[in-house]
Amino acid sequence: AEKALQTAYVELERRVEERTEELAFSNDILQREKELFRVTLGSIGDAVITTDSQGRMTYLNAAAEQFIGWDHGEAIGMPLRQGFLTLDEASREPIEDPLRSCCEPGQRRTHGNPCILVRRDGQELAIDHSVAPIRDSRGNAIGAVLTFRDVTEQRQLTRKLSHQATHDALTGLVNRHEFE
């Protein structure tokens, strides 16, 4: 009985050792994938913010930090609406929480209307943004990813070209085509 117990113990020790090696190998793979994920998101030119299911920020890449004016350490755990304040471009009214509609069942991605991002320091930027839910294997929304980019220059250029197309260059008055 003692010999059988000793044999079972040795076999159990061998299994534990094998399993520990497998887990260490799996952990190494996960760490490499996590690092690749972090480096990839950090390299993207667009700003990226991820949130948990309660709308609290869980990740910001460098571009997002620069655009919103909050650094990663300060923003983690902060409600998105506190660090990502947007106004409707036309009415200048605050825009509804961008996460609300994207996390509803069946939603995939929402693209925001033209809006103004109000940075932490009060500076305003024209941005284009989209929000997509992050779903678990069962399809439940466990968070969201928000991507956005500064389009201030493009919007200014568009307004300038629109004005030039509809106004006389010399007088600044509405041109004949626009008048008609």
Side-chain angles (χ1 to χ4, degrees):
E2 199 172 305
K3 188 172 184 174
L5 191 57
Q6 183 65 27
T7 304
Y9 177 78
V10 169
E11 179 62 23
L12 190 57
E13 279 292 320
R14 185 185 62 74
R15 283 183 172 169
V16 167
E17 217 172 277
E18 285 176 2
R19 187 67 181 135
T20 302
E21 287 175 15
E22 289 173 7
L23 288 172
F25 181 71
S26 295
N27 191 40
D28 288 344
I29 291 171
L30 285 173
Q31 289 300 325
R32 279 184 286 206
E33 287 178 1
K34 183 179 177 181
E35 183 63 16
L36 179 62
F37 166 77
R38 190 187 63 74
V39 169
T40 301
L41 285 178
S43 300
I44 294 173
D46 287 351
V48 178
I49 299 174
T50 60
T51 69
D52 61 16
S53 60
Q54 267 64 57
R56 292 183 301 261
M57 291 186 268
T58 58
Y59 174 83
L60 289 83
N61 70 354
E65 288 179 2
Q66 180 183 355
F67 285 137
I68 67 172
W70 293 90
D71 72 26
H72 191 268
E74 294 173 310
I76 298 304
M78 176 188 297
L80 179 66
R81 294 302 299 157
Q82 184 178 338
F84 186 77
L85 176 62
T86 52
L87 307 174
D88 181 85
E89 196 170 63
S91 70
R92 309 262 320 152
E93 292 294 319
I95 293 178
E96 179 183 323
D97 185 355
L99 301 180
R100 181 171 294 151
S101 61
C102 98
C103 292
E104 293 172 0
Q107 279 290 80
R108 292 184 178 254
R109 168 171 245 142
T110 60
H111 295 277
N113 295 328
C115 66
I116 303 294
L117 170 68
V118 181
R119 293 172 33 104
R120 181 181 186 182
D121 62 8
Q123 182 183 355
E124 296 181 356
L125 303 170
I127 64 166
D128 280 338
H129 70 283
S130 66
V131 184
I134 300 172
R135 299 198 183 277
D136 64 14
S137 60
R138 289 182 234 127
N140 299 319
I142 58 170
V145 61
L146 168 74
T147 59
F148 57 101
R149 75 179 68 120
D150 182 2
V151 292
T152 305
E153 279 186 38
Q154 290 99 326
R155 295 241 174 94
Q156 289 171 344
L157 184 58
T158 300
R159 280 192 287 274
K160 182 177 178 181
L161 289 173
S162 176
H163 184 269
Q164 288 175 347
T166 59
H167 290 75
D168 180 74
L170 182 62
T171 64
L173 299 173
V174 174
N175 65 23
R176 183 180 189 154
H177 177 72
E178 181 68 13
F179 181 74
E180 289 175 352

